[in-house]
């Protein structure tokens, strides 16, 4: 059976309340700014791997990016299902139409 983002979200949720010295995830959950910084770092590393055409590193950095994104979402109290619902809403029309419908700011 494949490991899913739902599985990862469940694992992250299970670390809530765990002492920080026992879990890297728990440590991040207790430090929102650090978790957000790590998310940004992993995004940059994924971009670099993509630009360089390094498939192996892109897979690894993508895993790191998804993990840190789910940690940041947990900190914000946002379930993966909310993000999935937003993606579903957006796919109801073309990406160009969706972008054009956004408020100008």
């Amino acid at each position: 059976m494949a490991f899913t983002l739902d599985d990862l979200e469940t694992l992250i949720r299970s670390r809530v309340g765990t002492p920080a010295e026992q879990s890297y995830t728990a440590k991040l959950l207790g430090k929102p700014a650090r978790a957000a910084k790590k998310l940004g770092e992993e995004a940059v590393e994924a971009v670099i791997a993509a630009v360089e055409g390094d498939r192996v590193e892109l897979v690894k950095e993508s895993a790191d990016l998804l993990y840190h994104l789910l940690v940041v979402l947990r900190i914000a109290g946002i379930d993966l299902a909310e993000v999935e619902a937003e993606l579903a809403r957006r796919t109801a029309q073309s990406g160009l139409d969706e972008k054009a419908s956004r408020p100008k700011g």
Side-chain angles (χ1 to χ4, degrees):
M1 177 150 77
F3 186 81
T4 68
L5 290 178
D6 288 326
D7 295 333
L8 182 56
E9 180 182 50
T10 298
L11 183 62
I12 291 166
R13 190 179 298 124
S14 77
R15 298 300 194 263
V16 172
T18 300
E21 57 275 356
Q22 293 179 8
S23 165
Y24 175 69
T25 300
K27 187 179 294 189
L28 286 176
L29 290 168
K31 296 185 177 188
R34 175 73 177 137
K37 181 179 175 189
K38 284 298 294 177
L39 175 61
E41 289 172 8
E42 299 304 343
V44 169
E45 290 170 0
V47 168
I48 291 168
V51 168
E52 291 178 348
D54 189 334
R55 187 180 193 285
V56 171
E57 281 305 305
L58 182 54
V59 168
K60 291 176 182 179
E61 296 303 339
S62 295
D64 290 344
L65 179 60
L66 290 169
Y67 163 77
H68 286 91
L69 174 60
L70 290 179
V71 169
V72 168
L73 290 173
R74 174 61 26 223
I75 290 167
I78 298 170
D79 291 330
L80 180 59
E82 291 179 65
V83 177
E84 292 170 333
E86 177 61 15
L87 288 169
R89 184 192 68 75
R90 290 181 182 192
T91 59
Q93 59 183 333
S94 81
L96 293 176
D97 290 340
E98 190 279 328
K99 188 173 181 178
S101 72
R102 294 181 193 170
K104 306 291 186 246

